[in-house]
Every structure is written in C-alpha cells, then in structure tokens.
Amino acid sequence: MRKKSEETSEKVVKNIPTSENGAGVLCARKSGQKYQISQNTEKQKFTLWKIVDKGFIKMKTASSPVDLYDCIPWDE
C-alpha cells in the first residue's frame, strides 16, 4: 500500500478546462504575477487560476468573481 505524501502539492494544468467557457479576466500585479478568472456558464461559477511557467494552478471557485478578488495578493 502506498503512503500519501504529507506535502500538499499544487497541481499544474497546461490549459484551463473547456468547461470554463465564459468570458475571463486577466489580473496582473505590479510584481509580474498574473492571475486568470474564468467562468463556467453552465454552473454559473467563477474560478481563480494562478498563471505559472508551465500552465495554471487552480486556487479557488466562487459564485461571483468579486468573491475571488480577496484571494489575489494585490500590491499596496
């Protein structure tokens, strides 16, 4: 039996899933970090993705894009 890793690793996907079929918003910080908010029109959900070198990391899903803004570490 395999033991589960104690570390929490973030799963990197190469592309945002096709189920995220609505209009998206790109959020960029002064430091260069970029985030994408995508929309699933069927479920009426919005997902926050962190853009990394090898793809995207899913951070959080919410029913409104405004709920996701606090998850982005904005520059002061």
Side-chain angles (χ1 to χ4, degrees):
M1 223 156 77
R2 289 178 62 185
K3 254 188 175 178
K4 289 187 178 180
S5 176
E6 293 293 323
E7 297 177 13
T8 304
S9 61
E10 298 173 327
K11 183 178 178 185
V12 177
V13 294
K14 291 184 181 181
N15 296 311
I16 294 176
T18 57
S19 62
E20 303 289 321
N21 53 5
V25 177
L26 180 66
C27 305
R29 294 181 50 199
K30 290 179 186 176
S31 63
Q33 284 183 321
K34 293 183 181 178
Y35 296 85
Q36 177 80 31
I37 297 177
S38 62
Q39 178 183 8
N40 182 326
T41 55
E42 287 181 21
K43 295 182 181 178
Q44 298 180 352
K45 296 288 183 181
F46 296 85
T47 305
L48 176 64
W49 302 86
K50 182 177 182 179
I51 301 173
V52 294
D53 291 335
K54 296 181 181 181
F56 301 87
I57 298 173
K58 184 176 182 178
M59 296 185 65
K60 187 175 179 182
T61 301
S63 58
S64 168
V66 177
D67 297 337
L68 300 172
Y69 293 159
D70 291 336
C71 299
I72 300 172
W74 296 107
D75 299 315
E76 294 296 325

